[in-house]
């Protein structure tokens, strides 16, 4: 069940839209911030609040790549695979992350610390290659720098 | 403004690694004067006229004249309300990072621009549609909006006038297609971001069926300066027919990748050599995408073409966002096109068949060629797709945009494709 705080937060956000459904993405993000991902139960709760059918809300939840419908690790790594990062060394970074974490794209490390996800252009191409970890952008990366950065996220 | 800032109005307040100006500093630098002038001295129609006269064209990629876009908004007492103004801040075109610069470093400029533009179109509600990954931009804009509210620049009866504006920042949750203006509106309504058929255009039937104008962040940021200094001044900033300055970017193996505000119509060569510092040592220039992933490659012979909408179009490409991506001689052109087409295949919204099924097929064939499993007939199949997925065959411009780098790569780098097929491996890999 959604906590009272989550409900209150969602209701506050809904005020900026003409219709409840318009708050769907924001509501899902609120749930995700609190729980890490959006479970079936949470999806049902949010659908009820927004007066949407479960199917339609799930359609929204699965369309947007930053809404997680499966559990993720404590930290999400968004690795940019778009063209400027690709030119500047994406392959090398991806190889390194794979070896280091023992996972591929879409997977979570055994210690549940990291989930590795692909993302398209993060809009920081003059500092390619780049990645985000949770809400932080990391730029001008190379494998050594990646190791140092991963160490900051426990 | 001093001489230098007169030449670069959009970035005049931007100093790298400095906190953006708060509302007091922004006003000391001349900020919110355009808003005062607009509301106290000008009618919405006069502002629309000034924007038309300035020859400002949309900076999101399509280059549609902004004044004309606004002119389709119903005005006067019979116009349906509420009307909306939406800033498209979903910057996700690969190779593009100009709107981030504007929002993180001078958020009040965008907010003032949105208030003036809302007044000009008599919008009741304004939204910023911001991509979720731009966390710092969201923070800066929220703070600036709060300050603007505090000073009476947003909300009811702005500056004591009859004009009121409700203002919101909507953060999204990914997907490139949200940058397409009708998909953006569908997304803002809380649905899957599927583009809409046009007509009706958003100005007639946009957000919740009401008149809506959607403008790119950089486009909007020009408006206060046009109001302050006039259409003629603005138009004269440019070296070309289109008005104003442009934020050009460069990424790839150049010495100093970056983003610079320069006169519209600056040549590609000047941007690459003077500002990006030329190629890095050990790398040679082979080609570039002038304005993001969905533009045609240009090559050496085009380096003296001015970067403006019409000149780049004549050269066979599109200026797009002005975010140039440079291909060097140590990067495989087939691999680069494969990267681009995988991106487009993944980001297709899946609504119409040519795009949903065609793009993965294109990516699949390119992968085979890159991995040394290609056949000469594959090149014909790729050519065929550039027609089948071209303009008019799909619901929106996603797939036609995806075909631009492919069709031009087949033209300029044909020999590289054929070599992959003949030698049955990628010459750039051992």
């Amino acid at each position: 069940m959604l906590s009272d705080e989550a409900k209150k937060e969602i209701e506050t956000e809904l005020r900026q839209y003409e219709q409840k459904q318009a708050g769907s993405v924001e509501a899902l993000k609120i749930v995700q911030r609190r729980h890490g991902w959006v479970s079936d139960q949470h999806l049902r709760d949010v659908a009820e609040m927004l007066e949407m059918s479960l199917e339609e809300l799930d359609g929204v939840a699965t369309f947007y790549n930053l809404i997680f419908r499966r559990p993720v690790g404590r930290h999400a790594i968004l690795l940019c695979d778009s063209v400027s990062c690709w030119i500047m060394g994406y392959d090398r970074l991806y190889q390194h992350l794979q070896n280091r974490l023992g996972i591929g794209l879409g997977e979570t490390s055994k210690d549940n610390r990291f989930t590795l996800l692909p993302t398209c252009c993060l809009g920081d191409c003059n500092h390619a290659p780049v990645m985000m970890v949770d809400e932080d952008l990391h730029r001008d990366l190379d494998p050594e720098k990646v190791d140092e950065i991963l160490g900051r996220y426990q | 403004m001093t001489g230098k800032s007169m030449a670069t109005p959009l970035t005049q307040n931007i100093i790298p690694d400095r906190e953006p100006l708060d509302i007091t500093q922004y006003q000391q630098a001349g900020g919110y004067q355009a808003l005062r002038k607009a509301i106290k001295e000008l009618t919405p129609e006069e502002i629309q006229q000034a924007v038309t006269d300035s020859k400002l064209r949309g900076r999101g990629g399509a280059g549609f004249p902004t004044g004309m876009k606004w002119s389709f908004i119903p005005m006067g007492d019979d116009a349906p309300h509420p009307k909306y103004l939406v800033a498209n801040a979903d910057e996700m075109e690969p190779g593009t990072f100009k709107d981030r610069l504007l929002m993180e470093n001078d958020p009040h400029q965008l907010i003032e621009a949105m208030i003036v533009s809302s007044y000009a179109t008599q919008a009741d509600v304004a939204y910023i549609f911001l991509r979720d990954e731009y966390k710092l931009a969201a923070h800066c804009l929220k703070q600036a909006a709060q300050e603007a509210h505090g000073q009476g620049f947003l909300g009811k009866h702005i500056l004591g006038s009859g004009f009121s504006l409700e203002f919101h920042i909507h953060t999204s949750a990914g997907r490139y297609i949200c940058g397409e203006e009708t998909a953006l509106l569908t997304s803002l309504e809380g649905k899957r971001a599927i583009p809409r058929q046009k007509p009706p255009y958003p100005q007639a039937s946009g957000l919740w069926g009401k008149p809506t104008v959607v403008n790119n962040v950089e486009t909007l940021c020009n408006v206060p300066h046009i109001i302050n200094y006039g259409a003629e001044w603005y138009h004269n900033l440019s070296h070309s027919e289109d008005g104003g300055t442009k934020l050009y970017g460069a990424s790839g193996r150049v010495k100093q990748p970056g983003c610079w505000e320069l006169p519209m119509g600056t040549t590609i060569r000047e941007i690459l050599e003077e500002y990006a510092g030329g190629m890095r040592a050990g790398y040679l220039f082979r080609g570039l995408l002038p304005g993001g992933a969905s533009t045609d490659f240009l090559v050496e012979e085009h380096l003296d073409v001015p970067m403006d909408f019409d000149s780049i179009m004549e050269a066979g490409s599109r200026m797009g966002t002005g975010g140039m991506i440079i291909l060097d001689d140590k990067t495989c052109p087939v691999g680069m096109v494969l990267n681009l087409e995988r991106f487009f295949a993944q980001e297709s919204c899946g609504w119409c068949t040519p795009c949903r099924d065609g793009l993965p097929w294109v990516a699949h064939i390119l992968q085979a060629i890159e991995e040394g499993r290609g056949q000469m007939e594959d090149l014909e199949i790729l050519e065929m797709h550039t027609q089948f997925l071209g303009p008019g065959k799909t619901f929106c411009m996603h797939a036609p945009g995806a075909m631009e780098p492919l069709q031009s790569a087949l033209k300029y780098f044909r020999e590289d494709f054929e070599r992959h097929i003949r030698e049955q491996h990628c010459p750039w890999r051992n």
Side-chain angles (χ1 to χ4, degrees), chain A residues 16-17 29 59 64 121-122, chain B residues 100 131 170 172 191-192:
Chain A
Q16 69 164 315
Y17 302 101
K29 290 205 298 192
Y64 295 95
C121 188
L122 288 169
Chain B
R100 176 200 280 276
R131 64 177 300 190
H170 170 89
S172 186
K191 301 169 189 162
R192 293 166 74 92

Side-chain angles (χ1 to χ4, degrees), chain B residues 76-267:
Chain B
D77 296 340
D78 298 335
H81 284 271
K83 295 198 278 188
Y84 297 96
L85 179 116
V86 183
N88 185 345
D90 197 53
E91 183 168 71
M92 221 181 287
E93 182 70 29
T96 306
F97 43 96
K98 62 188 182 67
D99 297 338
R100 176 200 280 276
L101 179 89
L102 293 171
M103 293 186 288
E104 289 182 353
N105 294 288
D106 201 9
H108 277 293
Q109 176 173 245
L110 175 60
I111 289 173
E112 181 181 14
M114 290 178 70
I115 307 168
V116 174
S117 303
S118 297
Y119 173 71
T121 53
Q122 291 289 288
D124 308 274
V125 186
Y127 283 101
I128 299 180
F129 188 100
L130 182 66
R131 64 177 300 190
D132 192 48
E133 296 92 332
Y134 279 14
K135 303 288 183 190
L136 179 58
H139 169 77
C140 295
L141 288 165
K142 268 178 201 157
Q143 193 161 331
Q146 212 164 25
E147 291 174 344
H149 261 291
Q151 300 264 324
F153 297 153
L154 283 171
K156 298 244 181 262
H157 304 295
I158 293 170
L159 296 169
S161 72
F163 177 65
S164 301
L165 184 67
E166 213 183 290
F167 180 87
H168 303 293
I169 298 168
H170 170 89
T171 59
S172 186
R175 297 310 294 270
Y176 172 73
I177 196 66
C178 291
E180 199 279 342
E181 70 171 6
T182 63
L184 181 151
L185 295 176
T186 318
S187 180
L188 200 45
E189 292 176 358
K191 301 169 189 162
R192 293 166 74 92
I194 310 294
R196 301 173 179 180
Q197 187 148 18
K198 295 192 273 193
Y201 289 88
Q203 294 95 318
S205 176
L207 198 56
W208 293 294
K210 291 295 197 309
T212 305
V213 67
V214 183
N215 286 130
N216 164 263
V217 168
E218 184 189 351
T219 312
L220 288 166
C221 286
N222 285 286
V223 173
H225 306 294
I226 295 171
I227 298 310
N228 277 332
Y229 302 102
E232 195 185 340
W233 164 83
Y234 181 80
H235 186 230
N236 288 339
L237 290 173
S238 165
H239 290 340
S240 81
E241 216 13 67
D242 308 331
T245 60
K246 177 79 192 80
L247 266 66
Y248 297 111
S251 61
R253 298 208 184 272
V254 290
K255 283 200 187 110
Q256 299 143 22
C259 181
W260 311 275
E261 183 182 11
L262 299 170
M264 177 69 88
T266 305
T267 66

Side-chain angles (χ1 to χ4, degrees), chain A:
Chain A
M1 285 294 283
L2 287 179
S3 63
D4 288 344
E5 290 100 27
K7 277 188 184 159
K8 213 174 273 172
E9 202 184 337
I10 292 171
E11 272 158 13
T12 309
E13 285 298 329
L14 290 182
R15 281 189 218 134
Q16 69 164 315
Y17 302 101
E18 305 276 312
Q19 292 173 2
K20 283 187 172 178
Q21 172 168 2
S24 62
V25 170
E26 193 54 45
L28 293 167
K29 290 205 298 192
I30 288 168
V31 170
Q32 189 164 295
R33 268 200 294 277
R34 288 169 176 273
H35 301 278
W37 65 294
V38 179
S39 68
D40 290 352
Q41 181 60 50
H42 286 140
L43 196 75
R44 268 193 289 276
D45 297 340
V46 173
E48 197 176 311
M49 275 191 83
L50 302 182
E51 293 164 17
M52 284 172 74
S53 77
L54 182 62
E55 291 72 18
E56 190 168 12
L57 186 64
D58 203 13
V60 171
T62 53
F63 185 86
Y64 295 95
N65 57 295
L66 297 175
I67 304 292
F68 307 144
R69 280 287 281 123
R70 281 194 286 164
V72 291
R74 292 196 294 284
H75 307 286
I77 301 174
L78 296 174
L79 181 62
C80 177
D81 60 10
S82 286
V83 63
S84 302
C85 285
W86 178 80
I87 291 173
M88 300 304 287
Y90 161 83
D91 282 336
R92 201 164 142 238
L93 279 193
Y94 177 43
Q95 277 299 331
H96 184 74
L97 281 165
Q98 265 183 313
N99 296 340
R100 175 75 206 264
L101 304 174
I103 51 173
L105 294 169
E107 295 174 354
T108 299
S109 61
K110 277 205 180 101
D111 57 3
N112 204 38
R113 212 168 121 209
F114 293 108
T115 297
L116 182 59
L117 297 166
T119 190
C120 56
C121 188
L122 288 169
D124 204 29
C125 319
N126 49 333
H127 293 285
V130 302
M131 68 180 187
M132 276 183 90
V133 184
D134 301 335
E135 304 211 333
D136 315 320
L137 181 68
H138 300 284
R139 38 188 11 196
D140 299 311
L141 295 176
D142 56 43
E144 296 72 45
K145 217 168 158 184
V146 164
D147 284 344
E148 187 267 315
I149 289 163
L150 293 183
R152 296 184 220 162
Y153 297 88
Q154 289 308 312

Side-chain angles (χ1 to χ4, degrees), chain B residues 391-412:
Chain B
K393 307 280 173 44
T394 55
F395 210 68
C396 78
M397 290 305 286
H398 181 81
M403 291 303 100
E404 292 182 20
L406 175 63
Q407 69 195 10
S408 47
L410 287 169
K411 180 169 156 195
Y412 295 119

